Amino acid sequence: MPKDGGIGASSKRREDVRFLTGAGNYTDDINIRGQAHVFFLRSDVAHGTLNAVNTAAAEAMPGVVKVFTGADFEAVGGMPCGWQVTDKHGEPMQEPRHPILAHGKVRHVGEPIAAVVADTLEQARDAAEAIEVDITELPAVIDMKAAVASDDVKVHDDLTSNLCYDWGFVEENKAATDEAFEKAAHVTTLELVNNRLVANPMEPRVAVGDYARGTQDHTLYTTSQNPHVIRLLMGAFVLGIPEHKLRVVAPDVGGGFGTKIFHYQEEAFVTFAAKACNRPVKWTSSRSEAFMSDAHGRDHVTKIELALDAEHNFTAVRTETFANMGAYLSTFAPSIPTWLHGTLMAGNYKTPLIYVNVKAVFTNTVPVDAYRGAGRPEATFQLERVIDKAARELGVDPVDLRRQNFITEFPYATPVAVEYDTGDYHATMDKVLALSDRDGFAARRKESEAKGKLRGFGINCFIEACGIAPSNLVGQLGARAGLYESATVRVNATGGLVVMTGSHSHGQGHETSFAQVVADMIGIDENMIEIVHGDTANTPMGMGTYGSRSIAVGGSAMVRATEKIIAKAKKIASHLLEASESDIELKDGAFSVAGTDKSVAWGDVTLAAYVPHNYPLEDIEPGLEETAFYDPSNFTYPAGAYTCEVEVDPATGEVSIERFASADDFGNVINPMIVEGQVHGGIAQGIGQALLENCTYDENGQLLSASYMDYAMPRADNLPEMTHYVVDHSCQTPCTHNPLGVKGCGEAGAIGSPPTVINAIIDALQSGGHKVDHLDMPATPARVWAAMQG
Amino acid sequence: MYNFEVETPGSVADAVAALGREDAQALGGGQTLIPTLKQRLASPSVLVCLSGIAEMKGVCRTDDGQITIGGGTTHAAVAKATAESFPGLSGLASHIGDPAVRNRGTIGGSLANNDPSACYPAAALGAGATIVTNAREIAADDFFQGMFTTDLEEGEIITEVRFPVPEVSNYQKFVQPASRFALVGVFVAKFGDGVRVAVTGASNDGVFRWTDAEAALSANFSAEALGGLSISDDDMISDLHGTAAYRAHLVGVMTKRAVTSAA
């Protein structure tokens, strides 16, 4: 029976009422009296020497408050990188300076060169056109392998090369891995591209800077997934503003998908300019700006090899990946192709030897950083594709080959430094095969063939490391931040609660699901609980939301804080009931004395806490408010198995996804409806990557896919009918190390689905006699057709 | 966008007069022009808004059997009004863009812009329509003169478009995955005296007639008649979304499908 409240209930998303009725409060809705607007003049060349920026004419234009150039920021720190990767020789990565406004050189199309602050946006744009920019255009380097092979074109003159780092993992395993390949009975090799993506959240980025001259307080309103991280990075490393004089507010945010994690120049600019101009300064990104200034995602070029013995046991995996950093290091860019990618190369399999080499490369392109899944989709895609290729080469069932190599005993320490706590990969495989009716596939293929279509069945597994945390572990791996989470639970006198969380909701439904957890623990109605997030002024220091970490880490902090509340409330109840504290039980929002009919209601206790007339003041303080910080002992490891059926039109190469099924193990689930929505959305983005999305530059560094006219987003009709778009999370092996037993579900769909789609297309093409063993994403009609022509 | 003045004439005569002003630009449904203005890629001093001109709106059947469509008629209105009388045209109009586009965009605006990937030019050329302006009548065969180029003079307004109604017709569009404009679109129209085939989306020269297919289909109106035909990819568009060879191939596929659907 579905529950009607608390943990496990599909409570309707309370925040949707305001989102769907136009009552949300997004950053662009924030307009401060007297605000000016900024327009950024951005580079239209990918690489060039910036000889001069003459702003005299612009400054004389109507409405112009001030025009800024890179020279105005010479005394200010550059944009910081939050993660330092150490290369295979033990040396730190190369870390270039990243100015707020370009200085000396421009290094990608879209890099801001100057900023005009004016009374209106149109005046700022008019004035920007009057700025004279003298650039000597230089050859650009776009291709990663070319960037590494030669120093003829260097993105950063002061670095030794275009190589950010050359990372080997685990370096000590390299010799043994190479030896395993020499002894292998069979080796399958696959070279592939993981296509560059643009996140495209529905709400573009916005930043509003405000400065109170009287108190010298700075406020930044911004579209961020982690306002405290922005406060720390911008305050400490960029502008030198102490945290107690800097408030960062991320109000309602319309989608992030990773690209709103990072600290961007525009945020630092409006904060700086608000003081410099003594006026609030607002920037709202246009969609065109978003394409060339939001951090992009993915963009790996990989060679993966899989070694098997004569019995088809995986004996080793070896990879070489070129990972595009773009022109500068975005906030967490170095960690994505390393610690969020290399550590996942075991997948769901007991491969004993793994060696991962990653070369991170600077190019004259927009910086690349985390995008939904971040490193884990790249790991999953190459591993699941090479396994599928191996099964075809060996003539074995891809399901059997996977099952044979599944990890079955937990905890399991992989050869790539992580320990899976729980899982049951056969269970999710069984489930997805049942959901997808694999047994009926042959008949469906015949039906498709009768219509002149090729039908294919794709399957794969995935695992991800989520609940991105242990601070001590990520510190060892180079993170320049902790990754705990926080919560303050404030109980009001009349019994209602406010939970202030360091997590941030930008579409995930935290206001609903977090309330369910606390309501369940106390036994009260969810509607008595308000979830507050997104404002450094009224939430405890938190690390924000990404990496499917909010319920696993933020939710656990909330559980810990609520446990403290309950413990104190029991003390108060024991006083009111004149009973021993150990005899007090909390059930359905009432405290009772075990074995008696004596009880007090939740509201009686909370009132006593704030009106302490009859109260043990000598033993406990009045009030009922507790804070907890939670830092887990491990990542969580959601895993699953996905299937996809496609029809390929051999006349045009068009691919249609007819069926999709997912069996995910997220451990315990708080709100099944929200979980299913997250998976549906994640799969939609994965299908977008597999079939449609492609961020493309020409050889001169011009962004070819710079608008929705050329960048194809998935739409409803690219997805299967809902009756054949089945997401299931009934296989549950609860996480063993967090109090809720949860694993996180935000990224799974985007991680697990791309290889499923490509595996299905390859199956379809081979069924038609086409000798195609790989297709790079996106599998557009033109690419599929070209592959069929041989 | 840059500042401009707006004129809202109520008649074609007033619109023509307004277009005589310096740097004046006619505004139909604005589906191309407004985004262009927002990106500051055009800077007319005066926009002459045609949407208030009643005499340029509506669909009717003339005594000689042709369907006449006012230049200011939206795609949605065309789709609805021609569903019975000219299903090939109705089907084309009902798949342009999305509902918002179809309820703002106009046939006159689309033809005057002559985007190489637009749908309407294929219908006008494929059906052998007559483009009527405030000054003259222009046969579709003379009207389209390469991508974004037409026979229209400065300040000339498309007031109506007259379509001969074919016995059967059909439009097949293979969409570009991002914009969903035509990567290749083919309009096939069978008349008593022959078949016309017009192709949009494919060529660097904009919409064109595939005369080899017309000859084959005029002799035998069936997909099989196209079996041995192919079209050269010499002048085809090659871009992110498809090579010239792919587009040339799709011309054949879409033509066959249009014939099958029309027959």
Side-chain angles (χ1 to χ4, degrees):
Chain A
M1 284 290 288
K3 294 178 66 174
D4 59 3
I7 292 173
S10 285
S11 300
K12 293 274 167 56
R13 288 167 39 117
R14 56 169 73 172
E15 48 269 79
D16 284 354
V17 176
R18 71 173 190 276
F19 295 157
L20 297 176
T21 59
N25 181 39
Y26 294 90
T27 310
D28 195 47
D29 292 321
I30 293 168
N31 292 294
I32 305 171
R33 186 181 165 83
Q35 80 187 5
H37 298 263
V38 59
F39 180 81
F40 290 98
L41 178 67
R42 296 179 185 276
S43 179
D44 56 7
V45 301
H47 195 196
T49 304
L50 199 51
N51 304 314
V53 183
N54 184 345
T55 62
E59 280 169 42
M61 298 274 286
V64 172
V65 178
K66 192 166 166 45
V67 182
F68 296 82
T69 67
D72 293 298
F73 291 90
E74 278 185 278
V76 167
M79 303 305 294
C81 181
W83 203 299
Q84 177 178 288
V85 165
T86 302
D87 76 6
K88 65 183 184 185
H89 307 297
E91 297 296 318
M93 66 188 188
Q94 297 208 75
E95 193 169 354
R97 184 175 158 78
H98 187 184
I100 292 173
L101 296 176
H103 197 59
K105 258 179 116 178
V106 292
R107 297 184 176 87
H108 68 84
V109 167
E111 180 170 7
I113 293 172
V116 181
V117 178
D119 291 339
T120 70
L121 179 58
E122 290 300 312
Q123 287 172 329
R125 287 187 74 169
D126 288 342
E129 291 180 5
I131 296 174
E132 295 165 24
V133 181
D134 177 5
I135 293 183
T136 304
E137 195 169 348
L138 299 168
V141 61
I142 305 303
D143 179 79
M144 285 190 278
K145 289 183 179 175
V148 172
S150 158
D151 289 338
D152 289 353
V153 180
K154 265 168 56 174
V155 179
H156 295 277
D157 301 325
D158 51 343
L159 302 186
T160 60
S161 69
N162 291 316
L163 193 61
C164 177
Y165 55 74
D166 187 352
W167 185 74
F169 183 67
V170 176
E171 199 60 32
E172 293 72 31
N173 290 349
K174 185 172 188 302
T177 305
D178 290 345
E179 192 182 332
F181 272 91
E182 284 167 21
K183 290 182 183 163
H186 184 87
V187 174
T188 297
T189 303
L190 181 62
E191 295 190 40
L192 57 89
V193 174
N194 202 294
N195 42 328
R196 179 184 277 240
L197 304 177
V198 182
N200 281 307
M202 194 181 292
E203 177 204 31
R205 289 189 298 118
V206 183
V208 186
D210 193 18
Y211 179 68
R213 195 160 52 94
T215 58
Q216 300 178 9
D217 287 327
H218 296 264
T219 304
L220 169 67
Y221 301 89
T222 183
T223 47
S224 176
Q225 300 177 213
N226 29 241
H228 282 98
V229 175
I230 303 303
R231 187 181 68 167
L232 178 63
L233 291 174
M234 186 175 78
F237 298 103
V238 186
L239 298 178
I241 305 169
E243 284 165 284
H244 64 281
K245 302 305 281 180
L246 174 58
R247 174 184 171 206
V248 177
V249 184
D252 286 335
V253 173
F257 311 114
T259 204
K260 290 177 182 168
I261 297 171
F262 322 120
H263 178 38
Y264 287 97
Q265 292 110 305
E266 295 88 353
E267 295 172 319
F269 178 83
V270 298
T271 307
F272 179 89
K275 183 178 180 185
C277 300
N278 195 27
R279 281 178 74 171
V281 175
K282 180 173 192 172
W283 172 69
T284 299
S285 172
S286 68
R287 186 61 69 181
S288 303
E289 278 183 290
F291 271 100
M292 57 184 173
S293 68
D294 290 3
H296 294 169
R298 313 282 193 261
D299 204 349
H300 286 191
V301 175
T302 292
K303 177 183 178 185
I304 181 169
E305 298 163 284
L306 173 66
L308 303 94
D309 67 16
E311 284 76 46
H312 302 164
N313 298 307
F314 302 163
T315 56
V317 167
R318 186 166 61 188
T319 73
E320 181 187 31
T321 286
F322 292 79
N324 209 332
M325 294 287 104
Y328 299 99
L329 292 178
S330 175
T331 312
F332 291 112
S335 67
I336 309 304
T338 49
W339 301 110
L340 291 178
H341 163 255
T343 50
L344 274 299
M345 286 311 304
N348 311 57
Y349 312 101
K350 50 191 178 198
T351 314
L353 288 163
I354 298 173
Y355 179 73
V356 178
N357 174 243
V358 177
K359 296 174 179 72
V361 185
F362 293 112
T363 60
N364 291 114
T365 62
V366 170
V368 181
D369 206 325
Y371 167 69
R372 200 172 192 170
R376 291 151 290 171
E378 295 91 318
T380 302
F381 185 75
Q382 56 185 281
L383 186 62
E384 293 295 327
R385 283 289 304 120
V386 82
I387 292 171
D388 223 64
K389 187 166 182 248
R392 292 182 182 284
E393 288 173 356
L394 296 167
V396 299
D397 184 335
V399 172
D400 294 342
L401 184 61
R402 287 177 168 87
R403 282 191 188 276
Q404 175 182 344
N405 287 282
F406 273 163
I407 295 160
T408 53
E409 290 176 17
F410 297 88
Y412 177 82
T414 72
V416 275
V418 290
E419 183 174 287
Y420 304 162
D421 59 342
T422 57
D424 186 344
Y425 307 143
H426 284 295
T428 45
M429 179 63 90
D430 291 342
K431 173 60 78 175
V432 82
L433 292 176
L435 290 171
S436 62
D437 180 29
R438 192 187 193 212
D439 294 341
F441 171 72
R444 293 192 292 277
R445 173 175 271 174
K446 279 209 173 66
E447 286 172 27
S448 296
E449 286 169 353
K451 293 187 293 179
K453 301 284 180 68
L454 303 173
R455 196 176 186 105
F457 186 93
I459 188 154
N460 63 271
C461 302
F462 78 95
I463 186 159
E464 48 175 333
C466 290
I468 299 294
S471 294
N472 53 7
L473 174 61
V474 298
Q476 289 168 25
L477 304 183
R480 291 163 169 165
L483 280 172
Y484 50 82
E485 200 44 83
S486 64
T488 295
V489 177
R490 176 180 297 161
V491 185
N492 293 318
T494 55
L497 286 81
V498 180
V499 178
M500 289 153 278
T501 169
S503 298
H504 183 274
S505 186
H506 30 280
Q508 294 90 342
H510 293 175
E511 291 170 36
T512 303
S513 51
F514 281 20
Q516 287 177 248
V517 172
V518 177
D520 199 275
M521 291 177 70
I522 301 174
I524 55 175
D525 190 284
E526 290 161 27
N527 294 314
M528 291 173 66
I529 299 158
E530 187 73 13
I531 305 294
V532 172
H533 59 94
D535 186 344
T536 60
N538 61 16
T539 57
M541 173 79 179
M543 297 309 293
T545 288
Y546 38 82
S548 306
R549 70 192 301 273
S550 294
I551 197 66
V553 192
S556 295
M558 201 171 58
V559 168
R560 292 281 186 255
T562 306
E563 285 170 351
K564 293 185 191 179
I565 291 286
I566 291 170
K568 184 171 178 183
K570 280 186 175 174
K571 281 192 186 8
I572 301 169
S574 75
H575 177 83
L576 296 177
L577 290 165
E578 297 178 336
S580 165
E581 194 187 321
S582 60
D583 291 336
I584 301 295
E585 293 175 345
L586 171 62
K587 188 164 186 283
D588 297 335
F591 296 92
S592 59
V593 181
T596 75
D597 58 358
K598 286 169 64 179
S599 74
V600 286
W602 170 252
D604 296 328
V605 172
T606 62
L607 190 64
Y610 288 95
V611 188
H613 294 165
N614 173 19
Y615 195 86
L617 287 165
E618 62 282 7
D619 295 329
I620 47 175
E621 296 169 7
L624 200 49
E625 176 168 328
E626 300 287 351
T627 294
F629 284 73
Y630 179 80
D631 205 325
S633 58
N634 195 353
F635 295 105
T636 63
Y637 299 95
Y642 286 14
T643 59
C644 174
E645 275 182 50
V646 298
E647 266 189 359
V648 177
D649 181 344
T652 63
E654 189 173 25
V655 175
S656 151
I657 296 187
E658 297 296 307
R659 289 171 171 244
F660 203 101
S662 70
D664 286 295
D665 175 359
F666 296 131
N668 294 332
V669 163
I670 307 301
N671 182 317
M673 178 196 72
I674 288 178
V675 167
E676 286 159 21
Q678 286 288 315
V679 179
H680 274 135
I683 292 171
Q685 283 184 302
I687 289 172
Q689 173 167 25
L691 293 184
L692 295 156
E693 300 186 44
N694 201 21
C695 180
T696 309
Y697 285 88
D698 72 9
E699 68 276 14
N700 299 315
Q702 290 297 324
L703 182 57
L704 299 178
S705 52
S707 78
Y708 291 138
M709 291 299 283
D710 287 303
Y711 188 91
M713 294 290 285
R715 308 184 205 190
D717 64 358
N718 296 121
L719 306 174
E721 295 289 333
M722 289 307 285
T723 46
H724 291 132
Y725 191 4
V726 184
V727 300
D728 179 277
H729 50 77
S730 64
C731 298
Q732 300 180 349
T733 59
C735 173
T736 56
H737 57 80
N738 66 46
L740 290 166
V742 293
K743 297 185 176 181
C745 68
E747 297 163 295
I751 294 170
S753 56
T756 331
V757 175
I758 301 300
N759 288 348
I761 296 171
I762 298 300
D763 187 52
L765 295 180
Q766 294 202 357
S767 79
H770 300 285
K771 292 183 173 47
V772 178
D773 58 19
H774 179 67
L775 269 175
D776 277 326
M777 300 185 290
T780 61
R783 278 189 181 173
V784 174
W785 179 79
M788 285 191 294
Q789 308 315 302
Chain B
M1 52 182 76
Y2 299 105
N3 288 339
F4 48 80
E5 290 178 40
V6 177
E7 294 251 19
T8 55
S11 70
V12 172
D14 287 350
V16 170
L19 283 169
R21 295 180 56 182
E22 192 175 348
D23 289 332
Q25 167 74 49
L27 173 68
Q31 296 307 294
T32 300
L33 183 54
I34 296 294
T36 307
L37 293 173
K38 285 172 76 173
Q39 293 186 58
R40 295 190 162 205
L41 296 173
S43 53
S45 55
V46 186
L47 275 189
V48 180
C49 181
L50 306 179
S51 58
I53 303 175
E55 63 189 289
M56 279 176 59
K57 289 185 182 182
V59 179
C60 67
R61 191 129 193 181
T62 50
D63 293 343
D64 61 359
Q66 296 201 76
I67 287 178
T68 299
I69 300 171
T73 311
T74 64
H75 311 327
V78 171
K80 192 172 173 195
T82 60
E84 301 285 327
S85 56
F86 192 169
L89 182 65
S90 174
L92 176 147
S94 67
H95 288 95
I96 298 172
D98 57 19
V101 170
R102 293 193 288 274
N103 282 299
R104 292 295 303 177
T106 64
I107 186 169
S110 174
L111 294 176
N113 189 46
N114 192 20
D115 187 304
S117 300
C119 296
Y120 261 134
L125 188 62
T130 302
I131 287 88
V132 182
T133 74
N134 55 299
R136 58 193 170 129
E137 296 183 2
I138 311 168
D141 283 319
D142 301 324
F143 181 82
F144 301 104
Q145 300 192 346
M147 59 165 73
F148 298 112
T149 309
T150 68
D151 192 46
L152 289 173
E153 302 285 342
E154 197 75 17
E156 195 172 3
I157 299 170
I158 298 175
T159 54
E160 61 186 50
V161 185
R162 291 185 198 142
F163 284 91
V165 180
E167 291 170 11
V168 291
S169 65
N170 187 260
Y171 177 66
Q172 290 288 320
K173 170 165 61 173
F174 194 83
V175 298
Q176 192 256 59
S179 68
R180 298 206 174 177
F181 274 63
L183 191 71
V184 168
V186 178
F187 193 92
V188 170
K190 179 175 184 290
F191 294 92
D193 59 354
V195 174
R196 292 173 68 104
V197 176
V199 179
T200 188
S203 170
N204 284 315
D205 295 328
V207 66
F208 69 94
R209 285 173 65 184
W210 187 15
T211 49
D212 289 352
E214 290 181 350
L217 291 168
S218 295
N220 172 15
F221 192 71
S222 73
E224 291 70 41
L226 298 165
L229 281 186
S230 63
I231 188 163
S232 163
D233 63 8
D234 283 351
D235 289 322
M236 296 291 174
I237 298 168
S238 201
D239 62 12
L240 283 183
H241 307 287
T243 59
Y246 183 57
R247 280 183 165 85
H249 167 76
L250 284 179
V251 170
V253 175
M254 292 298 119
T255 306
K256 283 178 196 161
R257 289 183 180 179
V259 170
T260 304
S261 298

